[in-house]
Amino acid sequence: YTGKRDGGDQVTGPVLVTTAVDADPLVGTSVGEAVARGEFQLLYQPIVRLADGRLGSVEALVRWQHPRLGLLTPDTFLASAARAGQLSELDDWVLRAATREFAAWQRAGGPEAADVALNVNVSTDRLLTPGLGAVLVEATRAAGLDPALVRVEVPESLLVDQLHAATEPLEELRAAGYKVTFDDVGAGGTSLRHLREVRADGLKIDRSYVQGILTDDRDRALVQLLVDFAEGAGLVVTAEGVETDEHREALRAIGCRYAQGWLFSRPSALSELRTRFPS
Ligand code: C2E
Ligand code: MG
Ligand code: MG
Ligand code: MG
């Protein structure tokens, strides 16, 4: 099988495609066993600078090549990994693999790739479990990667559910030189108070708002509000779910600096990513 799956990945090679998972993928196994069997893999999706179409960053997105169920996207296994208390173990594998793969890609890419950053997703479970900073420091050192190029994406819901518990671990990451980015802003229940109280370096506007900007004045106004806030507060702002030229043009008009979505690229093998996209 080669080509685009319904889930949106760009994959080549033999893949057993599953569209619906009725079974818990963790039944009869564990994250640790699947890691040991080499079943997890990472795809990477570009984050593009709208001003000139250059690659600004890549986001690592985990996939599970499950022996029975096929290639699984995270929505089919993150919740069961969390229920089993194994999500932190998976996130640690992702951090180590992503920093290693990305650093190798960057070295091979020469000056074009030198200032590209790496975005990695970290679950609320992982953030609130001690040791994240140590794992990251060890992983970036082993990879020879500058912490300032690593953007740790944390779910916006974290701010709502765990505001106080999250503040210290997030500050620790920033003190060690890593960048903190709020993911899916607008999808959960972030209030102005959260944006005011918790320090971050970036925010990503949830794709539900981005997809409304062409048809809904209120969505457009809210995207504008978030972009203006980010600009004023010195945060790197990225729009998610950019699927069409019209989305891109509307975002540029609003002053949004970075964009991510199928218009530019599906999640892909790192080796297949271009460093420049039509602007
Ligand atoms: P996310 O961090 O918000 O990642 C963006 C998701 O949107 C990805 O789904 C991506 O494939 C999808 N996407 C990108 N562009 C478009 C577009 O233009 N249109 C549409 N409709 N979708 C688009 P994916 O890879 O299935 O990941 C889903 C979520 O799983 C991620 O959302 C993230 O929250 C979580 N996740 C992924 N990898 C990891 C990981 O290593 N650790 C943890 N803890 N969570 C992860
Ligand atoms: Mg993310
Ligand atoms: Mg997101
Ligand atoms: Mg999202």
Side-chain angles (χ1 to χ4, degrees), residues 59 61 121 153-155 182-185 204-207 240-241 260:
E59 179 176 5
L61 295 163
N121 293 283
E153 295 193 11
V154 296
F182 297 143
D183 201 358
D184 304 326
V185 170
K204 298 179 77 177
I205 304 172
D206 189 63
R207 75 163 178 263
E240 301 188 278
Q260 176 178 9

Side-chain angles (χ1 to χ4, degrees), residues 7-9 42 45 59-63 73-75 78 87 90-91 94 120-124 153 155 183-184 204 206-207 211 240-243 260-263 265-267:
D9 297 344
L42 296 174
Q45 191 180 30
E59 179 176 5
L61 295 163
V62 70
R63 299 291 182 265
T73 48
D75 55 306
L78 288 185
L87 187 49
L90 178 61
D91 282 344
V94 169
V120 282
N121 293 283
V122 164
S123 64
T124 298
E153 295 193 11
D183 201 358
D184 304 326
K204 298 179 77 177
D206 189 63
R207 75 163 178 263
Q211 295 187 338
E240 301 188 278
V242 179
E243 295 183 354
Q260 176 178 9
W262 294 348
L263 173 65
S265 172
R266 309 267 168 161

Side-chain angles (χ1 to χ4, degrees), residues 29 37 41 54 60 81 88 107 173 175 186 195 211 235 242 249:
T29 190
R37 289 193 298 264
Q41 51 178 275
R54 281 202 52 192
S88 294
R107 271 192 292 274
L173 294 180
L195 292 177
Q211 295 187 338
L235 305 184
V242 179
E249 286 320 305

Side-chain angles (χ1 to χ4, degrees), residues 1 15 17 23-24 39 47 56 74 87 90 116 144 157 173 193 209 211 238 254 262 267 274:
Y1 175 91
V15 165
V17 176
D24 181 341
E39 290 170 7
I47 294 172
L87 187 49
L90 178 61
V116 176
S157 55
L173 294 180
R193 184 167 69 87
Y209 291 77
Q211 295 187 338
T238 303
I254 280 171
W262 294 348
R274 289 170 291 138

Side-chain angles (χ1 to χ4, degrees), residues 192-257:
L192 292 180
R193 184 167 69 87
H194 301 130
L195 292 177
R196 182 179 183 220
E197 284 182 16
V198 186
R199 300 278 157 179
D201 306 283
L203 66 81
K204 298 179 77 177
I205 304 172
D206 189 63
R207 75 163 178 263
S208 58
Y209 291 77
V210 172
Q211 295 187 338
I213 55 177
L214 300 173
T215 50
D216 187 331
D217 289 344
R218 294 163 63 85
D219 280 355
R220 173 187 281 267
L222 285 167
V223 172
Q224 181 81 65
L225 178 87
L226 287 169
V227 166
D228 289 346
F229 166 74
E231 283 297 313
L235 305 184
V236 174
V237 62
T238 303
E240 301 188 278
V242 179
E243 295 183 354
T244 67
D245 288 327
E246 290 76 16
H247 288 146
R248 179 182 53 193
E249 286 320 305
L251 287 162
R252 234 210 296 254
I254 280 171
C256 184
R257 283 184 196 255

